[in-house]
């Protein structure tokens, strides 16, 4: 563009021209054709002027200085004067060019429209004065809508503030950023907070900060609000609340409560409701002065509903009123000294620590000075049941049996201790007769529930058995014969029997509470040695029983328990007798006369040298009535092997003879079976030949019948096939004729419809051609009419006269 001489500048365009002689740039605006001189240079191609539509503005940096007539000022060189570093806001006006040195800091921008309930937060960057106000640099203020904000170079828009909508049961919490005056006309200091409760839109001031929206707490008949003062203030104009003070707000005061800035919500308190049979104990209740009575208690009975005030709490929650029946009672203890009236109206003085008991039927709510220790119920007892009761004052223990009993205030149940061995023998499900061996108890006894130690210990003595019970308080013993039920007193214990058991007998293998009186038996293994030093092991079984002359005599009854291990003692005594007798006998004699030798050794001889029938132990009345030799085995291995070989040889001889006899009998039976089998085979062959002959005759007859039937069926089939074939040919001819008729009629119908459609098509085509010709004629007529109208009557007349006039000239 700098080389072109002629520059055409369109309307509302401009260029900058630099004069090299003066080194001054100027503006040339259009519309014009500019002829560039040799000492001039065009700095840029023509550009559009700055256009500001209605409602727009722009920002010009380093604007020109203007006089009162708004003409640009120039210096002595003809250069336009600029306000360097300054800015100028220009609003809607005619398009204007930018002078040399000016530049567009912000292009055309729509003016900001401030809506209702909205404001612009403005800040002055420079001091300036408006029509009525003077603003210093740093001042802040609001431009509230509705309106259109006209920007200024001295003012910066910090942010847009929208109004906060306060709904019903809401408030907004504000804080002052600087000392200011709120919209309600009150002076606010920096950092001060307050609430605005008025329903509607609230636009915060320039120095007001919206912290958050505070929702109201909805209070009902069952909910209250627990508040605490965070600083001292005056509530309601007359009541002063000190810092840390707590109080309740209920529905009676306000249904919807918005806590203030000086108040802190501790929590929502639910109502405490007591039913007809309920009560509660309130700790530290609030007195008439509104303060908590620390250390005090208050009993509140139902039916009643109330709120726990700040500082109050329930001692044990809501408690049920003690409803006592005839078989129940309460043990009470006085915490403090007080006086009360008994049912007869007499005044009773209670001292701290006193215990007493009230009985039903009644309902009872303990006062604050009374402590409920326990609830006592009458314990129903059968005639064979009982409990141990101890007097807590004297320590004396007694048993109560066979009646319903309620413990008094000075009594308690006493747990009777028993040795572990007795506990094991008294375990539920343990049979006193079958479960006597140590470590051989029934598997299910570990699953049984334990014994109640406060119940009287009972034991059912089996039939023909005895149990000894010793009273450690009276130093006496008693024996109970079965069948009977033993019930121990508080000072009594069972005598545990520890008997020998197993084979050979081992001490302590059998443990029991009851002594079986027999008759019974026991088995033992003893080792003897004959005169010729043959060592033998005998397995013997003894029948025994106890004889008690008078069971009602305590000394006679206690005699059966005088020997602790009667089984071990008796077996040892009998074994010693047998060893002594066998030691003087040879092995062959003993082998032949073992029963006689052992019986005579055990029972002895009477005066007539006859073997006695029984052996008596006078210490405890034990009587052995018989001895049974169950087995005799040599102890020495060589003797045992020789005896075993002789026995085996005898068994083999007997076995061989029996096998030979059985073999001969089997051969005889086999020959007889073979003869019967051969005869039966011949009979079966004859029967088979007869059946074969009958089968062949039947097959011949069947073949003849089959051939006749096949020939007849074939002839009938051929005749039927010929008949069916003829009928099919006739039917086929008829169907072909019908098909030909149908095809002819269908073709005729198609031709008729085709001719009809062709005629309709030709008629429609003619109609459309006619409409097209009419339309073209109308279009031509309208075109001609429009041409004539456009030319006008004078023009048509001039055209018509143009020929003749030219010819005349």
């Amino acid at each position: 563009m700098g080389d072109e001489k002629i520059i055409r500048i369109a309307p509302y365009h401009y260029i900058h021209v630099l004069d090299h002689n003066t080194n001054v740039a100027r503006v040339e605006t259009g519309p014009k054709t500019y002829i560039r001189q040799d000492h001039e240079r065009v700095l840029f191609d023509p550009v559009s002027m700055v256009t500001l539509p209605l409602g727009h503005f722009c920002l010009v940096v380093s604007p020109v200085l203007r006089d009162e007539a708004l003409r640009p000022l120039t210096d002595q060189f003809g250069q336009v004067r600029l306000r360097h570093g300054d800015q100028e806001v220009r609003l809607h006006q005619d398009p204007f060019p930018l002078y040399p040195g000016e530049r567009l800091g912000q292009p055309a921008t729509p003016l900001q429209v401030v809506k209702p309930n909205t404001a612009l937060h403005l800040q002055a960057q420079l001091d300036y004065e408006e029509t009525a106000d003077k603003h210093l640099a740093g001042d802040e203020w609001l431009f509230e809508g509705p309106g259109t904000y006209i920007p200024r170079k001295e003012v910066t828009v910090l942010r847009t503030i929208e109004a906060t909508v306060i709904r019903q049961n809401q408030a907004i919490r504000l804080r002052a950023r600087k000392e200011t005056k709120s919209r309600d006309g009150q002076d606010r200091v920096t950092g001060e907070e307050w609430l605005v409760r008025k329903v509607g839109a609230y636009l915060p001031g320039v120095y007001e900060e919206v912290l958050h929206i505070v929702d109201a707490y909805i209070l009902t008949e069952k909910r209250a609000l627990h508040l605490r003062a965070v600083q001292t203030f005056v509530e309601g104009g007359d009541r002063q609340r000190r810092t840390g003070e707590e109080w309740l707000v209920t529905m009676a005061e306000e249904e919807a409560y918005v806590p203030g800035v000086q108040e802190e919500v501790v929590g929502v308190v639910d109502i405490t409701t007591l039913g007809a049979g309920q009560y509660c104990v309130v700790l530290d209740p609030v007195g008439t002065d509104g303060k908590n009575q620390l250390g005090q208690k208050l009993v509140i009975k139902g039916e009643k509903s109330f709120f726990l005030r700040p500082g109050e709490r329930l001692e044990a929650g809501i408690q049920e009123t003690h409803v006592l029946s005839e078989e129940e009672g309460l043990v009470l203890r006085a915490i403090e000294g007080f006086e009360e009236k008994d049912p007869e109206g007499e005044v009773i003085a209670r001292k701290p620590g006193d215990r007493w008991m009230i009985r039903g039927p009644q309902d009872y709510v303990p006062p604050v000075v009374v402590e409920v220790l326990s609830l006592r119920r009458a314990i129903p007892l059968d005639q064979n049941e009982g409990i141990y009761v101890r007097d807590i004052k004297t320590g004396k223990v007694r048993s109560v049996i066979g009646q319903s009993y309620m413990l008094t205030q000075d009594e308690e149940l006493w747990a009777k201790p028993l040795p572990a061995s007795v506990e094991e023998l008294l375990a539920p499900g343990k049979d006193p007769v079958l479960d006597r061996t140590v470590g051989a108890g029934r598997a299910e006894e570990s699953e049984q529930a334990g014994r109640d130690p406060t119940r009287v210990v009972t034991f059912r003595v089996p039939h023909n058995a005895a149990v000894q019970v010793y009273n450690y308080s009276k130093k006496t013993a008693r024996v109970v014969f079965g069948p009977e039920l033993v019930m121990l007193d508080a000072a009594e214990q069972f005598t545990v029997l520890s008997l020998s058991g197993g084979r050979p007998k081992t001490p302590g293998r059998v443990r029991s509470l009851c002594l079986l009186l027999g008759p019974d038996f026991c088995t033992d293994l003893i080792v003897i040695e004959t005169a010729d030093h043959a060592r033998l092991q005998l397995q013997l079984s003894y029948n025994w029983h106890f004889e008690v002359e008078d069971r009602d005599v305590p000394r006679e009854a206690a005699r059966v328990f005088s020997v602790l291990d009667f089984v071990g003692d008796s077996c040892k005594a009998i074994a010693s007798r047998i060893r002594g007798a066998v030691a003087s006998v040879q092995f062959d004699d003993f082998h032949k006369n073992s029963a006689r030798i052992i019986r005579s050794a055990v029972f002895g001889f009477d005066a007539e040298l006859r073997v006695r029938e029984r052996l008596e132990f006078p210490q405890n009345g034990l009587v052995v009535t018989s001895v049974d030799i169950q087995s005799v085995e040599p102890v020495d291995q060589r003797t045992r092997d020789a005896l075993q070989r002789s026995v085996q040889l005898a068994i083999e001889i007997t076995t061989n003879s029996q096998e030979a006899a059985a073999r001969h009998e089997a051969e005889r039976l086999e020959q007889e079976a073979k003869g019967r089998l051969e005869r039966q085979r011949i009979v079966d062959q004859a029967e088979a030949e007869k059946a074969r002959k009958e089968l062949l005759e039947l097959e011949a007859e069947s073949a003849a019948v089959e051939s006749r039937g096949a020939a007849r069926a074939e002839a009938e089939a051929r005749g039927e096939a010929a008949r069916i074939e003829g009928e099919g040919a006739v039917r086929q001819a008829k169907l072909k004729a019908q098909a030909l008729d149908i095809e002819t009629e269908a073709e005729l119908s198609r031709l008729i419809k085709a001719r009809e459609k062709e005629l309709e098509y030709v008629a429609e085509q003619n109609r459309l051609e006619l409409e097209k010709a009419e339309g073209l004629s109308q279009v031509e007529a309208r075109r001609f009419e429009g041409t004539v109208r456009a030319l006008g009557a004078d023009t048509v007349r001039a055209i018509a006269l143009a020929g003749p006039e030219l010819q005349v000239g």
Side-chain angles (χ1 to χ4, degrees), residues 385-438:
E385 295 179 333
I387 56 174
Y388 297 110
V389 179
R390 180 172 64 179
D391 193 315
I392 60 177
K393 290 184 176 180
T394 63
K396 184 178 180 181
V397 180
R398 62 188 180 93
S399 59
V400 178
I401 300 173
Q403 60 179 349
S404 295
Y405 185 77
M406 182 186 297
L407 298 175
T408 65
Q409 68 273 10
D410 297 326
E411 293 178 340
E412 65 178 2
L413 292 175
W414 180 71
K416 180 178 177 61
L418 292 177
S421 58
V422 177
E423 289 281 6
E424 181 181 356
L425 294 173
L426 290 176
K430 193 146 188 171
D431 192 284
V433 178
L434 300 179
D435 301 330
R436 294 161 59 89
T437 304
V438 176

Side-chain angles (χ1 to χ4, degrees), residues 25-69:
R26 68 179 184 276
V27 175
E28 296 291 340
T29 60
K32 69 186 300 185
T33 300
Y34 176 73
I35 300 175
R36 182 179 64 83
Q37 302 299 321
D38 292 338
H39 62 277
E40 294 178 341
R41 182 169 66 88
V42 178
L43 298 180
F44 51 81
D45 294 339
V47 296
S48 298
M49 295 183 181
V50 178
T51 303
L52 294 177
L54 189 64
H56 286 65
F57 75 99
C58 71
L59 185 65
V60 178
V61 180
S62 299
V64 299
L65 288 173
R66 298 178 185 272
D67 56 12
E68 296 179 355

Side-chain angles (χ1 to χ4, degrees), residues 129-388:
E129 292 184 5
E130 288 184 328
T131 55
D133 297 327
K134 180 180 180 180
H135 296 286
L136 302 178
D139 284 351
E140 298 179 9
W141 68 97
L142 295 181
F143 178 82
E144 299 182 9
T148 302
Y149 172 68
I150 306 300
R152 293 181 60 91
K153 64 179 182 179
E154 301 89 352
V155 179
T156 301
V157 178
L158 298 180
R159 60 193 176 100
T160 302
I161 300 175
E162 295 184 356
T164 302
V165 179
I166 305 175
R167 295 183 174 84
Q168 193 71 27
N169 298 329
Q170 281 186 341
I172 59 173
R173 187 166 183 168
L174 303 177
R175 181 168 57 196
R177 296 191 296 114
K178 293 177 63 176
E179 294 184 0
T180 183
K181 181 174 291 187
S182 61
R183 293 187 181 273
D184 56 3
Q186 296 185 14
D187 293 330
R188 305 292 182 180
V189 298
T190 303
E192 182 181 355
E193 297 181 4
W194 69 97
L195 293 181
V196 176
R197 293 183 171 86
K198 185 178 179 181
V199 177
Y202 181 81
L203 189 64
V206 63
Y207 294 120
E208 295 176 356
E209 178 185 1
V210 178
L211 297 179
H212 56 83
I213 296 178
V214 181
D215 293 322
Y217 288 87
I218 305 301
L219 305 180
T220 63
E221 295 178 353
K222 299 181 179 180
R223 298 182 64 191
L225 197 60
H226 183 185
L227 301 178
R228 181 190 296 127
V230 296
Q231 64 185 36
T232 303
F233 70 99
V234 177
E235 180 185 22
D238 56 351
R239 183 178 180 85
Q240 184 179 17
R241 299 287 187 183
R242 297 186 177 275
T243 303
E245 182 180 353
E246 298 181 2
W247 68 96
L248 281 184
V249 178
T250 62
M251 183 181 176
E253 300 172 8
E254 288 191 37
E255 295 183 357
Y257 186 79
V258 179
V261 295
Q262 300 88 1
E263 300 168 346
E264 177 187 5
V265 177
V266 179
V268 177
V269 180
D270 294 326
I271 196 170
T272 302
T273 302
L274 301 177
Q278 295 178 331
Y279 75 98
C280 66
V281 179
V282 180
L283 302 179
D284 303 333
V286 176
T288 56
D289 57 351
K291 297 181 180 180
N292 293 97
Q293 300 176 359
L294 301 180
Q296 299 295 323
K297 296 182 180 180
L298 176 65
V299 176
I300 301 178
K301 302 179 182 179
E303 300 174 351
K304 189 173 183 181
S305 296
F306 62 95
F307 290 102
L308 287 176
R309 286 172 286 185
E312 295 180 341
R313 64 185 189 278
L314 297 182
E315 183 178 31
I318 298 177
Q319 306 178 49
E320 300 293 332
T321 302
H322 299 280
V323 179
L324 306 177
S325 63
E326 295 181 357
E327 304 297 328
E328 292 179 334
L330 283 179
V331 178
L332 308 177
R333 182 173 63 187
I335 302 175
E336 300 176 5
F338 71 99
E339 293 181 353
E340 65 174 354
K341 293 183 179 180
D342 60 5
E344 287 75 17
E346 297 181 1
V347 177
I348 301 176
R350 303 289 187 187
K351 298 180 180 180
D354 282 354
R355 294 165 58 104
W356 71 98
M357 185 175 180
I358 61 172
R359 297 176 180 267
Q362 64 173 313
D363 56 350
Y364 180 75
V365 176
V368 294
V369 295
V370 175
E371 177 186 6
V372 178
L373 295 181
S374 62
L375 172 65
R376 298 286 174 84
R377 290 186 175 88
I379 303 174
L381 300 174
D382 191 19
Q383 60 180 357
N384 294 329
E385 295 179 333
I387 56 174
Y388 297 110

Side-chain angles (χ1 to χ4, degrees), residues 17-18 83 257 284 316 319 331 420 439 445 474 479 490 618 627 751:
V17 180
L18 176 63
R83 292 181 293 170
Y257 186 79
D284 303 333
Q319 306 178 49
V331 178
E445 67 182 48
K474 299 179 181 180
V479 177
V627 179
L751 292 174

